[in-house]
Amino acid sequence: MVTLLLDSTQLEVVLSATERALAFRGEAVRIARSSIRTVQLTDDAWTWLRGVRARGSHVPGVLAMGTWKASGGLDFVLVRRRRPAAVIDLDGDGEFQRVVLTTRHGTALQQALRLKAEDEPTDVVELATGAIATHPTATQAPD
């Protein structure tokens, strides 16, 4: 499973050894935080794939991992089956124009991107859950 790390300057998509092999990519995908335009959540990542596989692995309906060449540039995809996904649209100045990832942490990614991140890379789930203040409900007495 992919790990998403965020610091004050970049989002890093850390790939497992299997994901690196299937995507034909030796390193993590690094995205400048300033180049992220939107993050959309979807239940069907397959509808967001565009273009043709340039480098990587593709078994229709099962997995798509690697670089896809679209008319305007390159997309990086890491899609497994019919799982929830995040579609990250970029400004096009970097290596990719779009990143499509199946992840159950899409909401945490959206929340973490709204926060001021530290200089050290931190998992987006930790950033998002640590930033949510909990308030006692009306039925609970404050401590």
Side-chain angles (χ1 to χ4, degrees):
M1 167 173 265
V2 68
T3 301
L4 302 172
L5 301 177
L6 184 68
D7 65 22
S8 60
T9 61
Q10 72 179 4
L11 170 66
E12 184 174 356
V13 181
V14 181
L15 308 173
S16 70
T18 302
E19 291 165 339
R20 285 194 312 271
L22 291 171
F24 291 19
R25 186 169 179 91
E27 60 185 22
V29 175
R30 291 176 182 82
I31 303 165
R33 201 172 169 163
S34 60
S35 71
I36 298 173
R37 289 192 339 228
T38 61
V39 177
Q40 300 176 67
L41 303 181
T42 181
D43 288 331
D44 187 4
W46 295 98
T47 61
W48 289 88
L49 296 185
R50 60 186 182 181
V52 295
R53 179 175 48 93
R55 198 172 77 202
S57 303
H58 184 216
V59 179
V62 177
L63 69 86
M65 294 186 186
T67 304
W68 258 242
K69 185 172 184 166
S71 62
L74 299 176
D75 294 348
F76 182 78
V77 301
L78 195 67
V79 177
R80 289 185 191 89
R81 303 205 183 269
R82 300 266 185 236
R83 296 183 179 163
V87 179
I88 305 168
D89 283 309
L90 308 171
D91 64 11
D93 290 339
E95 183 179 4
F96 300 110
Q97 285 192 321
R98 178 184 284 173
V99 176
V100 182
L101 305 167
T102 51
T103 178
R104 63 177 177 249
H105 303 300
T107 303
L109 174 61
Q110 283 183 321
Q111 291 172 347
L113 284 169
R114 292 184 189 123
L115 303 173
K116 183 177 178 351
E118 301 296 322
D119 291 332
E120 291 297 313
T122 307
D123 190 295
V124 296
V125 175
E126 292 176 24
L127 281 171
T129 56
I132 298 172
T134 56
H135 300 286
T137 62
T139 59
Q140 295 176 327
D143 292 332

